[in-house]
Amino acid sequence: MWWSRIQVIQLGYEISNVLKVERILTEENKKLRVEIATLKSYARIEKLAAEELRMAKPKPEQVIVIR
């Protein structure tokens, strides 16, 4: 009888720890999703292209539309 009580207590601690880890991982996932969105933003990519790669938007006469 005391053995099953010890098991119940032990499993309770394990469940508590797993739930804590789940909360931590969920929060980390949210942060990473925000970071991904930030890194993929059009404004950021455009700024990097212009400043770091010295790229510029093409002039209208340089654009060729293929259909």
Side-chain angles (χ1 to χ4, degrees):
M1 181 126 163
W2 60 273
W3 174 248
S4 61
R5 182 174 167 87
I6 290 172
Q7 276 188 313
V8 168
I9 292 170
Q10 217 169 14
L11 289 173
Y13 285 134
E14 287 181 36
I15 290 170
S16 176
N17 287 335
V18 168
L19 291 174
K20 181 179 177 183
V21 169
E22 180 191 27
R23 283 192 300 273
I24 291 168
L25 291 175
T26 300
E27 189 60 37
E28 182 68 20
N29 185 271
K30 287 178 187 176
K31 290 177 186 177
L32 290 173
R33 287 180 185 273
V34 169
E35 184 177 352
I36 287 171
T38 302
L39 292 173
K40 288 172 65 175
S41 78
Y42 179 78
R44 178 185 169 278
I45 292 171
E46 188 174 37
K47 182 179 176 186
L48 287 174
E51 294 177 2
E52 293 186 20
L53 302 175
R54 307 256 191 258
M55 296 174 80
K57 288 185 179 181
K59 297 175 184 163
E61 63 270 12
Q62 295 174 310
V63 176
I64 300 172
V65 179
I66 301 174
R67 296 177 190 201

